[in-house]
Amino acid sequence: MADDPVEKMHQREREQERQRLRELESKDLEVESQRGPRPLEGFAGGHTTWASKQDDEAAAEVHARDAEESWKESQAQVARLSPDSGAPARGDGEPQE
């Protein structure tokens, strides 16, 4: 089996993968050995003036009428699904006819 070219190729690939993993582990250990704050990847050195207050203000504008609109949509759905006889709509536990 040791002379099989496919087996040699697989062995070489496994060794290359082990070497790659060893290099990654050594990089990880180097980074972990340094204490202190670290920038987020992709945002290194990036400065922003955005504040959570701005998020709150934007959300208050965008979602100001969500509860009222949701209630109106619920009422419209109940009216649409209710029978024409004026009786309340079928409950979840009642069998369908």
Side-chain angles (χ1 to χ4, degrees):
M1 270 296 185
D3 295 330
D4 184 15
V6 174
E7 181 62 30
K8 285 182 181 180
M9 181 181 70
H10 288 162
Q11 181 65 27
R12 186 174 66 247
E13 289 173 352
R14 285 191 294 268
E15 184 55 41
Q16 288 173 345
E17 180 65 11
R18 282 193 292 267
Q19 179 62 31
R20 186 184 71 81
L21 292 174
R22 280 192 290 267
E23 290 171 3
L24 289 175
E25 180 67 18
S26 69
K27 287 180 185 177
D28 287 345
L29 291 173
E30 181 182 332
V31 168
E32 290 172 5
S33 69
Q34 299 171 5
R35 301 277 181 195
R38 297 188 180 113
L40 295 174
E41 269 186 47
F43 295 101
H47 178 70
T48 180
T49 58
W50 193 262
S52 62
K53 182 180 177 190
Q54 288 170 301
D55 285 334
D56 295 340
E57 290 171 358
E61 280 183 38
V62 172
H63 303 290
R65 290 174 295 283
D66 282 359
E68 180 183 319
E69 290 171 5
S70 176
W71 179 254
K72 286 180 183 177
E73 288 175 15
S74 293
Q75 293 300 318
Q77 182 179 22
V78 167
R80 188 174 69 246
L81 297 176
S82 294
D84 291 334
S85 65
R90 176 183 64 85
D92 289 339
E94 297 178 21
Q96 261 183 321
E97 293 180 30

